Amino acid sequence: MFPAEPLVFTFLLGHDFSMMSLASAIEPLRSYNRLYEKQAFAWHLASLNGEPVEAANGIPFATRAINDVLPGSHYLFICGGERVVAPKFERGYLKAMRQAARAGLFIGSLSTGTFLLAKCGLLTGYRCTIHWESRTAFEEAYPDIECTRKIYEIDRGRLTCSGGTAAMDMMLNLIAERHGGDRATAVANQFHHERIRSAADEQRGGRPNRSPIPETLGTAIAVMQAHIEDPITLPEVSARAGIGKRQLERLFGRHLGKTPQRYYLELRLEQAREMLIYSDLSIIDVAVSVGFSSTSHFAGWFRRAFGVLPSEMRRVRRAKHG
């Protein structure tokens, strides 16, 4: 059963939240109201105390206090960015999310907001998703929660979204469920959104190459991705891809412009960078998670790749987010 109109969405903003994700979630609702000349949807921007919240791009957003808007809401979404919220504010956000769950609201997240839902215990037994950059760190922190590669997941009363324009697809699907596919398509057309992606669509971010690559090369890359923590030798990679070592080297050079050894190393270091940003694992644990037994060896390669030491990157991130 749908609640009476208007259907009210509250977006609880985390500091440094993604403005793209928020706009992609709200604009289909606004457009529906305009196209069909009715107040079918309403929304609030909320913070813990009604203070302005800055998006990741530095633009401040006026908000209302969460306790003032939660009682009249049907949906509550936590909006994340590089980090969900500053640690000193985390307890207040957790309290708000749990309060919403006890009241029977639909609970959702945009981008890294999925971390906070998991920390609240609100994803236990539910399927979820998160932005591809954060997925490895999420799985390390919450190995018992099923986190998919889908652009969004709707599992009973939990709605999680990978962020960016995927939020628009999620909202368009909610519109279709409530008001029909034709109206959802009409809203999508307002944004030149040619196809409304479904929950079956996977995220494309993080893939090494958007252009078509030979199947054997794709298999070799998949083998590497499956062996980040326990790297295997190049002959083993080529054997599992069903080709010879020399042929594998030629394929990497032709299609990716680098040797397979270099590609494999960069893949591991990129995953380490994501974990340093999105998890609280120690540097030694991050190093082990991407197949380095020595932190000094890991730090040396990391600095070659990104220009800073892992410890420096972690220190800057913590200073920025409190």
Side-chain angles (χ1 to χ4, degrees), residues 187-213:
V187 172
N189 288 340
Q190 294 293 306
F191 302 100
H192 305 288
H193 199 64
E194 295 180 0
R195 181 178 76 87
I196 301 176
R197 294 174 292 177
S198 76
D201 282 86
E202 292 199 352
Q203 300 176 51
R204 297 185 62 83
R207 295 188 179 180
N209 197 302
R210 300 294 178 90
S211 60
I213 58 175

Side-chain angles (χ1 to χ4, degrees), residues 144-221:
D144 296 329
I145 295 177
E146 182 185 357
C147 185
T148 75
R149 299 180 184 274
K150 306 302 182 185
I151 60 170
Y152 66 86
E153 287 282 3
I154 300 177
D155 188 357
R156 293 158 288 166
R158 302 291 180 266
L159 306 90
T160 52
C161 173
S162 58
T165 58
M168 179 174 290
D169 295 283
M170 181 173 66
M171 290 303 186
L172 288 169
N173 276 276
L174 290 179
I175 289 172
E177 183 180 354
R178 186 175 175 89
H179 296 291
D182 289 344
R183 289 194 172 192
T185 298
V187 172
N189 288 340
Q190 294 293 306
F191 302 100
H192 305 288
H193 199 64
E194 295 180 0
R195 181 178 76 87
I196 301 176
R197 294 174 292 177
S198 76
D201 282 86
E202 292 199 352
Q203 300 176 51
R204 297 185 62 83
R207 295 188 179 180
N209 197 302
R210 300 294 178 90
S211 60
I213 58 175
E215 183 178 351
T216 49
L217 180 55
T219 300
I221 290 170

Side-chain angles (χ1 to χ4, degrees), residues 5-306:
E5 293 182 350
L7 199 62
V8 181
F9 292 77
T10 289
F11 297 94
L12 182 56
L13 307 184
H15 290 272
D16 285 341
F17 71 92
S18 165
M19 192 173 86
M20 171 66 81
S21 297
L22 179 66
S24 294
I26 291 176
E27 284 299 285
L29 309 180
R30 178 197 63 81
S31 182
Y32 184 93
N33 289 349
R34 183 184 68 83
L35 277 175
Y36 296 102
E37 299 181 338
K38 60 186 299 189
Q39 191 70 9
F41 302 103
W43 53 90
H44 303 294
L45 302 184
S47 62
L48 296 184
N49 300 309
E51 70 280 3
V53 179
E54 261 192 20
N57 59 15
I59 297 176
F61 282 72
T63 68
R64 297 179 63 187
I66 186 66
N67 288 339
D68 292 343
V69 296
L70 202 57
S73 300
H74 302 106
Y75 287 81
L76 176 63
F77 279 86
I78 176 69
C79 305
E82 280 194 4
R83 300 284 288 184
V84 185
V85 296
K88 61 184 177 181
F89 299 125
E90 188 175 85
R91 182 177 296 180
Y93 283 84
L94 295 174
K95 179 181 177 182
M97 302 301 289
R98 289 170 179 147
Q99 181 182 342
R102 288 194 299 270
L105 274 66
F106 295 93
I107 309 292
S109 66
L110 303 182
S111 191
T112 58
T114 306
F115 274 111
L116 201 61
L117 293 191
K119 193 157 193 174
C120 282
L122 297 179
L123 290 178
T124 303
Y126 290 86
R127 191 177 60 254
C128 70
T129 192
I130 197 168
H131 191 277
W132 60 267
E133 275 194 333
S134 306
R135 187 166 179 265
T136 299
F138 184 88
E139 290 179 327
E140 286 279 343
Y142 303 102
D144 296 329
I145 295 177
E146 182 185 357
C147 185
T148 75
R149 299 180 184 274
K150 306 302 182 185
I151 60 170
Y152 66 86
E153 287 282 3
I154 300 177
D155 188 357
R156 293 158 288 166
R158 302 291 180 266
L159 306 90
T160 52
C161 173
S162 58
T165 58
M168 179 174 290
D169 295 283
M170 181 173 66
M171 290 303 186
L172 288 169
N173 276 276
L174 290 179
I175 289 172
E177 183 180 354
R178 186 175 175 89
H179 296 291
D182 289 344
R183 289 194 172 192
T185 298
V187 172
N189 288 340
Q190 294 293 306
F191 302 100
H192 305 288
H193 199 64
E194 295 180 0
R195 181 178 76 87
I196 301 176
R197 294 174 292 177
S198 76
D201 282 86
E202 292 199 352
Q203 300 176 51
R204 297 185 62 83
R207 295 188 179 180
N209 197 302
R210 300 294 178 90
S211 60
I213 58 175
E215 183 178 351
T216 49
L217 180 55
T219 300
I221 290 170
V223 169
M224 291 177 177
Q225 291 172 328
H227 291 273
I228 298 292
E229 186 170 347
D230 55 339
I232 59 178
T233 65
L234 190 58
E236 288 178 289
V237 172
S238 58
R240 297 188 190 197
I243 55 177
K245 178 173 174 289
R246 293 289 297 276
Q247 185 182 357
L248 185 68
E249 290 172 339
R250 286 194 294 270
L251 286 172
F252 267 89
R254 182 180 307 127
H255 294 277
L256 300 176
K258 60 188 68 175
T259 67
Q261 294 95 328
R262 184 69 186 184
Y263 178 85
Y264 200 179
L265 175 63
E266 290 177 356
L267 191 67
R268 293 159 59 201
L269 291 170
E270 181 60 34
Q271 182 155 308
R273 188 190 72 86
E274 293 165 14
M275 296 177 73
L276 286 167
I277 294 173
Y278 298 109
S279 82
D280 294 319
L281 289 176
S282 68
I283 290 174
I284 189 170
D285 285 339
V286 171
V288 170
S289 293
V290 295
F292 287 88
S293 57
S294 163
T295 53
S296 60
H297 189 211
F298 165 63
W301 278 111
F302 192 91
R303 181 163 57 182
R304 289 186 186 95
F306 302 112

